[in-house]
Amino acid sequence: MGKESVPEPAVRRLSVYLRELEALEERGLRTVSSRQLGQAVGVSDAQVRKDLACFGQFGQSGVGYRVAELIHQLRRIFGTDRTWNVVLVGAGRLGMALAEYRGFAKKGFRLVAVFDNDPAKIGRPVPGLEDAAGIRPMDDLPAIVAQQDVRLGVVCVPAPAAQPVADALIAAGLRGLLNFAPVALSVPPGVAVVSVDLATQLEQLCFYVRWGVAGHGRS
Amino acid sequence: MGKESVPEPAVRRLSVYLRELEALEERGLRTVSSRQLGQAVGVSDAQVRKDLACFGQFGQSGVGYRVAELIHQLRRIFGTDRTWNVVLVGAGRLGMALAEYRGFAKKGFRLVAVFDNDPAKIGRPVPGLEDAAGIRPMDDLPAIVAQQDVRLGVVCVPAPAAQPVADALIAAGLRGLLNFAPVALSVPPGVAVVSVDLATQLEQLCFYVRWGVAGHGRS
DNA sequence: TAGTGTGAATGGATTCACAGCC
DNA sequence: GGCTGTGAATCCATTCACACTA
């Protein structure tokens, strides 16, 4: 297993497959074919098979894929078969909403601390957060990252603050950033960034509405 | 102008160009070359030119692109040179955070109403929302959509509610949905969907951290 | 029969390279 | 010199089609 080249779009799709598989399992389904799975998420059966083939042979001819088994394999591929500790920076409205978002925990992510440099916010409790210290100042970052072996961070600060915050997170040792600030972060090689610009998403939607459209736009 | 085939990835990039151009204008820059713009957002100069070429010839040889002019053109392309009315369904934490998110207004979107079917929430005010009625029941949807000529909707409800809500929005006449529920919505042709699954984004980040990585992940 | 895994063929998107322009 | 716009060439992703398996 392990693989050289995984098409980037395949990564997006794989995580959609996983989500769908979890839903299918909930509904009691034991087995799926590439066609069923593909139809559920809007891709061709061949595409499903090719995507999975990047990582091994998980199916049985004439039967399809065992749902539980495939979920297990996909979690292993994504690394979400173990818990990842995460920190979040920026306790504004969006940041707080994300901090309390249950979906992250469901995927096995654990938020260990929330940071902000606004003195008015420091110490304020974050519902659902284990860290009793509540919102922490950025100065605490390196210690927390080291103590709790944190590798991922969520950036929810205003645009002008995003790059310095990213630099601080990387200096503290993080390996991946989920960025909600509307700027392109620049990071050294070896650090991954996934950016989600909410306004931009709406803008793109707008585009698809104006000029004809491809039924579905991917997650 | 108008164009047959715009590569889908180009749409994503164009909106990143626009964002960057707005930042450059703020900094007083009058003119940019495709190379400068490309470097700022992490793509090649040729890519920038090809993307723009889908919609016309906006540059001047030997000079580059006039920033203000290109911003104007891109807004026209996306349709964000006029205001779009938007409704949001699902007044949970994430929904409320999005309802109050300033970034949408900055791009010219106007939130005209927030809906939820939890009786405990109906009537509750939404900070910053013009609609004095506060959170409204879904029954009000068709009237609001018709009166205010709403074409876009944001879906922030739990997964099981998402498809029925989407159906209701489409029945009311919406043409595009920005979906934050972790399910693949199925919609009739002519309706656009852009899905943002936050947990999935973190999962993908996780993937890039585990298996080598492409410095940047797109918005 | 139903369905996987995969080379080969196709189709799109990206990059190259250069003619033309300021 | 610097830079755009664009065909041609390359690269990559998707689809096709079929051998193979349970």
Side-chain angles (χ1 to χ4, degrees):
Chain A
M1 63 200 65
K3 254 292 114 61
E4 336 84 32
S5 98
V6 183
E8 232 211 64
V11 178
R12 273 196 293 279
R13 286 189 302 262
L14 284 165
S15 93
V16 175
Y17 301 156
L18 175 52
R19 193 180 65 187
E20 184 64 27
L21 286 162
E22 286 164 344
L24 292 174
E25 186 177 52
E26 204 118 313
R27 280 200 261 136
L29 208 29
R30 309 303 291 273
T31 220
V32 258
S33 67
S34 54
R35 174 184 310 224
Q36 286 175 279
L37 185 51
Q39 273 185 188
V41 306
V43 311
S44 74
D45 54 337
Q47 184 75 82
V48 171
R49 294 198 298 275
K50 261 276 152 65
D51 288 343
L52 294 173
C54 293
F55 296 93
Q57 310 186 176
F58 306 121
Q60 295 174 232
S61 297
V63 179
Y65 301 85
R66 286 184 33 231
V67 174
E69 150 87 358
L70 190 50
I71 287 174
H72 175 72
Q73 293 293 343
L74 284 171
R75 289 202 181 129
R76 196 180 45 74
I77 290 164
F78 280 105
T80 49
D81 52 350
R82 71 174 193 78
T83 297
W84 291 68
N85 288 339
V86 179
V87 293
L88 183 148
V89 183
R93 279 185 295 264
L94 183 61
M96 291 302 279
L98 292 173
E100 297 173 43
Y101 184 56
R102 299 256 167 50
F104 293 138
K106 227 176 282 171
K107 287 269 174 190
F109 297 100
R110 197 165 69 99
L111 183 66
V112 301
V114 174
F115 297 87
D116 199 299
N117 256 347
D118 178 350
K121 289 178 182 162
I122 288 168
R124 203 181 284 181
V126 180
L129 184 69
E130 298 167 28
D131 182 4
I135 297 171
R136 291 177 178 270
M138 283 295 278
D139 297 333
D140 291 4
L141 182 71
I144 296 276
V145 170
Q147 279 162 32
Q148 314 237 19
D149 185 32
V150 179
R151 279 182 230 175
L152 304 178
V154 180
V155 177
C156 287
V157 299
Q163 186 63 57
V165 162
D167 295 341
L169 289 169
I170 292 163
L174 296 218
R175 306 289 316 279
L177 304 180
L178 179 54
N179 173 43
F180 288 91
V183 283
L185 294 180
S186 87
V187 299
V191 175
V193 179
V194 170
S195 279
V196 180
D197 180 340
L198 300 171
T200 280
Q201 302 296 323
L202 201 43
E203 188 171 65
Q204 284 168 28
L205 180 61
C206 204
F207 178 94
Y208 290 122
V209 169
R210 265 170 57 56
W211 312 75
V213 69
H216 251 197
R218 260 300 97 25
S219 108
Chain B
M1 61 202 70
K3 255 291 114 58
E4 335 84 31
S5 97
V6 183
E8 233 211 64
V11 177
R12 274 196 293 278
R13 287 190 301 262
L14 283 165
S15 94
V16 175
Y17 301 157
L18 175 52
R19 193 180 65 187
E20 184 64 28
L21 285 162
E22 286 164 345
L24 292 175
E25 186 178 51
E26 204 118 314
R27 279 201 259 135
L29 208 30
R30 308 304 290 270
T31 222
V32 258
S33 67
S34 55
R35 171 181 313 222
Q36 287 175 277
L37 185 51
Q39 274 186 187
V41 306
V43 311
S44 74
D45 54 338
Q47 185 74 83
V48 171
R49 293 197 300 274
K50 261 275 151 67
D51 288 342
L52 294 173
C54 293
F55 295 93
Q57 309 186 175
F58 306 123
Q60 294 173 233
S61 297
V63 180
Y65 301 85
R66 285 185 33 231
V67 174
E69 149 87 359
L70 190 50
I71 287 175
H72 176 73
Q73 293 293 344
L74 284 171
R75 288 202 182 129
R76 196 180 45 74
I77 289 164
F78 280 105
T80 48
D81 52 351
R82 71 173 191 80
T83 297
W84 291 68
N85 287 339
V86 179
V87 293
L88 183 148
V89 183
R93 279 185 295 266
L94 183 61
M96 289 302 280
L98 292 173
E100 298 173 44
Y101 184 56
R102 300 256 166 52
F104 293 137
K106 228 176 281 171
K107 286 268 174 191
F109 297 100
R110 196 165 71 99
L111 183 65
V112 300
V114 174
F115 296 88
D116 199 300
N117 256 347
D118 178 350
K121 288 177 182 162
I122 288 168
R124 203 181 284 178
V126 180
L129 183 68
E130 298 169 27
D131 182 4
I135 297 171
R136 290 175 178 271
M138 283 296 276
D139 298 333
D140 291 4
L141 181 70
I144 295 277
V145 169
Q147 280 162 30
Q148 312 236 20
D149 185 32
V150 179
R151 277 180 231 178
L152 304 178
V154 181
V155 177
C156 287
V157 299
Q163 186 64 57
V165 162
D167 295 342
L169 290 169
I170 292 163
L174 295 219
R175 306 288 318 280
L177 303 181
L178 180 54
N179 173 43
F180 288 90
V183 285
L185 295 180
S186 87
V187 299
V191 175
V193 179
V194 170
S195 279
V196 180
D197 180 340
L198 299 171
T200 279
Q201 302 296 324
L202 201 43
E203 189 171 66
Q204 285 169 25
L205 179 61
C206 203
F207 178 95
Y208 290 122
V209 169
R210 265 171 56 55
W211 313 74
V213 69
H216 251 196
R218 261 300 98 25
S219 107

